[in-house]
Amino acid sequence: MAEAILSPSAAEVHGCAVDEARIRDYIDLLKPRVMTLVVFTGAVGMVMAPGFLSLHPLIAFVAMVSLAFGAGAAGAINMWFDRDIDAMMTRTRLRPIPAGRISADNALSFALVMALFSVMTMGICVNWVAAFWLLFSILFYAVFYTMILKRSTDQNIVIGGAAGAFPPVIGWACVTGDVASPLPWVMMALIFFWTPPHFWALALLIKEEYAKANIPMLPVQRGNVYTVRWMLGYTVLLGPLSLIPFMMGAVGYGYAIVAGVVWAGFCVAAVRVVMRPDDPARARAMFGFSILYLFALFAALMLDKVQ
Amino acid sequence: MPITDLHRKKLKKNLFVLGALLVWTFLIAAVAFIKMS
């Protein structure tokens, strides 16, 4: 028994890359930057739900950890499936699997165990409605988006964006045990319609890389001019959409002002890209501003909640 | 069999997983306690 625990596996003895895996590599496999956004928007969904203050802090903490690891597991499955195209792109070729620091099998096992633990923990410690939506979003991202949409349609990130938009719904369900209210779905819609301009700004920057890896991103398939027009369209749509929580009476004037100001800034960034679709500096500025936009919007939601 | 660096790495990995499972067990127990009280 002791020998089984101590003995290296055959792959390790033969100098397989697994040897070099550090904890840092496993953290990278969970896509920590995406995880930050997921936890943040999930936390806002939780805070916005009625009865949040009566939720025990430990249960709220466990809910957020489960959400974070669930999102991480989905990211790891994505990295496992996309290891072939990740190796072709400069942006992703240093990820743990294409760089050879973690074997594909190890990554998949790690991801599946993580997914199972996160969903089970959410179900046991929080509630099974939240666990269901967590499982649904993991499957949506890891299977529907990664394995089907991403390589088959130029609307990949539009439809797939729904996966990244679920966290506020999950956060809400953690508190209330249901998702029947319109507010969590409005928050979901905000992230859903924010995703295309955010992602296409990045796609404009690394269009050649996507083309090399044969991923049908919109700028690759339809060109920059077509893409930037749609980016502007989605950005404009976010304005009225972001005012719905205010019109519903869920948040106050403070939120409405912040939403209006950051939306105006986002529109300016989009118009600048439309004016020069081939200028990488403008696409980069739009990408950076899109992240700021979502954080500001959701922070304002949380801070200006009508009690 | 001499203890090599590979063995130490393997042991470290296993201890890490064991530690994570221990923390998880305590967490579940704590939540169960909160829900019952």
Side-chain angles (χ1 to χ4, degrees), chain A residues 285-302:
Chain A
M286 171 98 183
F287 180 72
F289 197 88
S290 68
I291 298 168
L292 181 75
Y293 173 82
L294 198 73
F295 269 105
L297 197 68
F298 273 73
L301 266 176
M302 187 159 59

Side-chain angles (χ1 to χ4, degrees), chain A residues 122-190:
Chain A
M122 185 72 102
I124 295 166
C125 297
V126 187
N127 64 60
W128 289 100
V129 175
F132 166 80
W133 286 104
L134 179 62
L135 177 65
F136 184 80
S137 57
I138 292 172
L139 291 176
F140 196 98
Y141 182 74
V143 180
F144 190 50
Y145 167 69
T146 303
M147 299 180 190
I148 300 168
L149 291 173
K150 188 172 176 178
R151 302 180 193 216
S152 61
T153 166
D154 58 23
Q155 293 300 304
N156 48 14
I157 55 106
V158 179
I159 310 162
F166 276 117
V169 177
I170 299 168
W172 182 283
C174 287
V175 180
T176 62
D178 70 64
V179 289
S181 310
L183 191 57
W185 297 104
V186 172
M187 288 189 275
M188 186 211 169
L190 282 172

Side-chain angles (χ1 to χ4, degrees), chain A residues 5-9 12 18-19 23 56 58-59 62 117 121 124-126, chain B residues 1 3 6-7 9-11 13-14 16 21 24 27-28 30-31 34-35:
Chain A
I5 294 171
L6 278 168
S7 296
S9 64
E12 286 169 325
V18 182
D19 291 351
I23 290 171
H56 193 284
L58 183 67
I59 294 181
V62 172
F117 264 74
T121 309
I124 295 166
C125 297
V126 187
Chain B
M1 192 168 70
I3 303 289
L6 213 57
H7 290 105
K9 268 185 193 169
K10 179 100 177 163
L11 182 66
K13 262 187 213 168
N14 284 321
F16 187 79
L21 278 173
W24 185 76
L27 209 63
I28 298 277
V31 171
I34 290 166
K35 287 199 166 184

Side-chain angles (χ1 to χ4, degrees), chain A residues 71-147:
Chain A
I77 296 173
N78 169 276
M79 282 203 204
W80 166 77
F81 189 81
D82 279 350
R83 61 193 185 281
D84 56 336
I85 51 178
D86 278 354
M88 291 182 217
M89 295 169 63
T90 316
R91 185 176 79 97
T92 51
R93 71 189 158 81
L94 291 178
R95 282 178 173 177
I97 308 175
R101 295 191 302 275
I102 297 182
S103 72
D105 286 353
N106 269 10
L108 182 63
S109 318
F110 175 70
L112 293 178
V113 168
M114 204 59 100
L116 184 75
F117 264 74
S118 61
V119 173
M120 292 301 287
T121 309
M122 185 72 102
I124 295 166
C125 297
V126 187
N127 64 60
W128 289 100
V129 175
F132 166 80
W133 286 104
L134 179 62
L135 177 65
F136 184 80
S137 57
I138 292 172
L139 291 176
F140 196 98
Y141 182 74
V143 180
F144 190 50
Y145 167 69
T146 303
M147 299 180 190

